[in-house]
C-alpha cells in the first residue's frame, strides 16, 4: 500500500456503506477508487459488500420469477380450459344479462307497485275531500249551511290523518 493514497484502508472501510449507497462526493469517490485500484484487500471488501448487498434483491428477483411463472401457468391452464369450454362462455354471459334484466324488471315492478300505492292514496284522499266538500256545500240559495264553519273545523283532524 503506497503512502501516496489519500484514503487509508480504514477510511475506505468507513466510507464503504456510503460508497455503495452512492452517497460519496465525486472527490471522495475518486479517492476511494484510487485506493481500490491499488489495494486488493479493500477492493475485495467492497466487492464482498456489494455482492452481499445485491444478494437479497437477486433472491427476490428469482422468487418473483417463480411467482410469475406459477401465475402464468395458472393463467395458461385457465385460458386452455376456457378455450375448451368456449361454447359455455356465451351462455354464461347471456345468463348474466338475463339476471341483470330480471333485476331491473323487478326494480321497475317494485317502483310501479309503489306508484300504484301512491295513486290509491291520492284517490282515497280525493274521495275524502269530495265527501268533505259535499258536507260543506252551500245550500241551493247559495248560503253556506249554518254548521259549515263548525264542520270544517271538526273535520280538520280527519284531513290531517290522511
Ligand atoms: Zn486498502
Amino acid at each position: 500500500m503506497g503512502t501516496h493514497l489519500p484514503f487509508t484502508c480504514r477510511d475506505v472501510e468507513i466510507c464503504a456503506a456510503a460508497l455503495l449507497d452512492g452517497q460519496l462526493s465525486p472527490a471522495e469517490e475518486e479517492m476511494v477508487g484510487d485506493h481500490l485500484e491499488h489495494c486488493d484487500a479493500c477492493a475485495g471488501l467492497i466487492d464482498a459488500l456489494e455482492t452481499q448487498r445485491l444478494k437479497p434483491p437477486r433472491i427476490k428477483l428469482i422468487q418473483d420469477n417463480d411467482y410469475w411463472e406459477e401465475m402464468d401457468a395458472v393463467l395458461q391452464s385457465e385460458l386452455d380450459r376456457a378455450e375448451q369450454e368456449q361454447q359455455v362462455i356465451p351462455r354464461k354471459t347471456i345468463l348474466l344479462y338475463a339476471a341483470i334484466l330480471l333485476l331491473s324488471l323487478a326494480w321497475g315492478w317494485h317502483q310501479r307497485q309503489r306508484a300504484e300505492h301512491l295513486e290509491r292514496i291520492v284517490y282515497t284522499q280525493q274521495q275524502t275531500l269530495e265527501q268533505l266538500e259535499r258536507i260543506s256545500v252551500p245550500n241551493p240559495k247559495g248560503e253556506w249551511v249554518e254548521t259549515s264553519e263548525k264542520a270544517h273545523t271538526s273535520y280538520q283532524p280527519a284531513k290531517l290523518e290522511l
Side-chain angles (χ1 to χ4, degrees), residues 125-142:
Q125 278 177 331
Q126 277 172 346
Q127 296 280 98
T128 316
L129 279 172
E130 276 167 26
Q131 278 174 10
L132 286 170
E133 273 168 25
R134 270 199 295 276
I135 289 163
S136 55
V137 284
N139 61 25
K141 286 173 191 168

Side-chain angles (χ1 to χ4, degrees), residues 1 8-9 12 35 39 41-42:
M1 255 150 273
T8 63
C9 293
V12 171
H35 184 105
C39 178
C42 283

Side-chain angles (χ1 to χ4, degrees), residues 7 15 18-36:
F7 258 44
C15 291
L19 172 74
L20 293 176
D21 287 340
Q23 285 174 343
L24 287 183
S25 71
E28 283 174 314
E29 223 170 275
E30 209 186 303
M31 285 188 276
V32 173
D34 276 349
H35 184 105
L36 295 181

Side-chain angles (χ1 to χ4, degrees), residues 105-126:
L105 283 175
W107 174 248
W109 180 81
H110 175 73
Q111 290 298 92
R112 198 185 147 75
Q113 290 294 109
R114 272 190 64 198
E116 279 174 5
H117 179 65
L118 286 171
E119 267 172 35
R120 275 199 299 275
I121 290 169
V122 170
Y123 179 73
T124 315
Q125 278 177 331
Q126 277 172 346

Side-chain angles (χ1 to χ4, degrees), residues 6-89:
F7 258 44
T8 63
C9 293
R10 181 73 186 138
D11 290 333
V12 171
E13 206 179 296
I14 289 164
C15 291
L19 172 74
L20 293 176
D21 287 340
Q23 285 174 343
L24 287 183
S25 71
E28 283 174 314
E29 223 170 275
E30 209 186 303
M31 285 188 276
V32 173
D34 276 349
H35 184 105
L36 295 181
E37 265 177 43
H38 297 96
C39 178
D40 288 342
C42 283
L45 172 77
I46 297 297
D47 262 1
L49 286 174
E50 220 162 19
T51 310
Q52 203 175 30
R53 197 165 281 226
L54 288 175
K55 243 178 204 168
R58 268 185 200 153
I59 288 162
K60 194 172 181 280
L61 211 66
I62 289 160
Q63 278 174 342
D64 282 352
N65 281 342
D66 281 349
Y67 179 74
W68 288 113
E69 265 166 34
E70 227 169 271
M71 287 294 282
D72 282 349
V74 172
L75 185 65
Q76 193 54 53
S77 73
E78 278 297 305
L79 284 172
D80 288 346
R81 204 171 57 84
E83 222 166 280
Q84 281 161 12
E85 297 175 3
Q86 215 160 21
Q87 295 94 338
V88 180
I89 293 164

